[in-house]
Amino acid sequence: MNDQTFGEFLTEFFDFLSRRYDDLIEVGLEHMALVSVSVLLSTVIGVIVGVTTYRTERPREIALAVTGSFLTIPSFALFILMIPITGIGSPPVIVALTMYGLLPIVRNTITGLREVDQATVESAKGMGMGRGQRLVRIELPMAWPVIVAGVRITTLILVGIATIGAIVDGPGYGTFIFDGLARVGSPAAINLVVSGMLGVIVIAILFDTILAVLGKLTTSRGIR
Amino acid sequence: MTDTSITHTPDTASIGGAAASGKIMIKLENLGKQYPKEPKPAVDNLTLEIPEGEIVILVGPSGCGKTTTMKMINRIIEPTSGQIILDGEDVTKADPDQLRRKIGYVIQQIGLFPHMTIAQNIATVPKLLGWDAKKIDARIDELLQTVSMAPETYRNRYPKQLSGGQRQRVGVARALSGDPAVMLMDEPFGAIDPITRDRLQNEFLRLQAEVRKTIVFVTHDIDEAIKMGDRIAILQEGSRIAQYDTPEQILTAPANDFVADFIGRGASLKRLNLSRVRDIQLSQWPTVQLGDDHARVLDVLRASDKGFALVLDENRRPRRWVSAPDLQRGGDRPLDEIGLPPEATVEPQATLNDALNELITANYSVAIVVNASGEYQGIVDIDSITEAIRTMRTDARARARIGLDADDSADQAAQVGR
């Protein structure tokens, strides 16, 4: 790269992009699918964990400690540890990503539910709403903006970590980056790594925008 | 009172005496709440009967257990002993959600659902009760009108778009939505500025005069209790009843020192708020007609022990106060050009407090009572007010004595029972 000017690099990079265009799109879609599934699983599991633990101190602390400890496991290690259980490809990546994505969602679900005004909940109770009705019709809708914020953080984290999944043959832009890593020194290496990185950034922005809009649409005008 | 043209003015709206039926709507029997690890029960063996169609106020210092007592009626707080009888039915063990749908509930913070529109808020209980959509829709409009909010403007607004007073109104509308026979209100006007509070209280009293719900109302403010209550239960620590009676009776004959202290100073003045000019004996002062000659006026004045005569026009409306010196100084001028104008007039539905206020500031220390069309009825002077207070005291003591006798025999019966 030293004997290459930045202009020359750009020309060559755009050339690379146009040659590998189809490939980039396809890998991007795979990356998005992988992250979407994981975020969805994290959200479902995280909200359920949050809803079942937010009322009592002990379970709440345990839930946060456990999901927090998941995040401290190095991703490299976790992906590899999954192989005996799930084999290679997408499954180990999805399981690991789901685990990584839990903490922000569990934490925000608990925070959101605990911040719901108790007078509102009491008036719902006083009007004859049962426990379940209160949760579904009052507490969750009121906590929803906070939960969505958690989902957005999870999504950003998972879009990044998903690249490491390539080490267990997972799909996504990680394959570009690891290919590049394997060819350090050759001109193609930089192209591969940079395109993989840019792809991740584009997906992150895209997802965050979609979630922002979705969050707004699903939040009542009364609490926006 | 023969004058049928009298209408309630907002600041004097009041509910009549006891409800027509005399039926007991809520009966609390030996109700108790003992929290674990607390040395004393929050509510200690409370027995209370709440008549149908009345506003019963639970009032007392903070920590006396009044809110706990109220919340046991819809079992937001579960009692640890005793029974709750609602409309003849023991609901102590009934399904709490079913029970609560039959009881309107308004709390100080109001607790509107912020993510729902006003219409959706009001529709909550009707939906739980399984009403069909059309009926719910009609009910929302009806209730919004009842609380003086235009349905087309407010139906689709969210709580955050309303003022504090409007939220409070929606809170009341929401509590009324399932047409409950009973309403529980926990300091419903507590978080509202004094001017709006006064207006909302008056609106609520007018509304109650129409709907006649049985209402249990908690407050720590004795003035609010006196204004809103058909009956007041003054509670001491452990929700023990210090006195349970009408506001008039509590003000005139406090049962003990605790009650007297709690009412505070100015009980007699507060009492004057509860009596109206039409209820007392008016004084009669000499009156003359506008066209009468001065000699006749002097005759009338000489025949009376008062120093002034009131000049009435052909419609018996007061025009002028005249005295003997006025007549001399005035020469031949007509009666409505001498003396002083008749200020300080009150209508029969004014409270004695209003009348007192008027007469203190008036020239001759009297207030002239006129009916709605301005015709002279009589005079309130300081003597008529002190006389009224004296009568109230005597009556209250007599009633208290009867009440005590009844209590004594009940106590004895209870002791025999044990």
Side-chain angles (χ1 to χ4, degrees), chain A residues 5 7 15 20 28 31 39 80 83 90 92 107 109 113 126-127 130 148 151 157 171 200 216-217 220:
Chain A
T5 66
D15 190 39
R20 303 283 300 266
H31 197 116
V39 167
I80 293 165
I83 296 175
S90 294
R107 162 151 279 168
T109 303
L113 288 172
M127 290 162 82
V148 171
V151 175
I157 295 174
V200 166
K216 209 164 182 193
L217 290 179
S220 154

Side-chain angles (χ1 to χ4, degrees), chain A residues 117 119-131 133-134 137-139 141-142 220-224, chain B residues 71 74 76 97 100-101 103 105 107 109-116 121 124-125 127-128 156 158 160 174:
Chain A
D117 175 29
T120 310
V121 179
E122 190 187 310
S123 72
K125 192 175 175 187
M127 290 162 82
M129 279 196 195
R131 177 77 204 89
Q133 285 170 317
R134 270 182 340 250
R137 289 171 58 180
I138 308 297
E139 293 174 273
M142 284 177 73
S220 154
R221 259 197 313 131
I223 49 174
R224 248 183 253 157
Chain B
K71 288 185 179 179
N74 65 354
I76 293 280
D97 288 334
R100 289 173 195 146
R101 289 172 200 172
I103 300 177
Y105 191 49
I107 55 178
Q109 307 88 329
I110 305 164
L112 293 183
F113 306 138
H115 59 297
M116 294 188 189
N121 264 284
T124 308
V125 174
K127 270 190 196 150
L128 290 170
N156 298 318
Y158 285 93
K160 70 171 179 191
R174 185 175 69 168

Side-chain angles (χ1 to χ4, degrees), chain B residues 184-205:
Chain B
L184 306 180
M185 309 182 87
D186 185 7
E187 307 222 16
F189 307 110
I192 291 168
D193 68 88
I195 296 169
T196 314
R197 181 192 308 147
D198 196 52
R199 212 180 53 225
L200 289 172
Q201 286 170 337
N202 295 329
E203 274 177 21
F204 185 74
L205 285 173

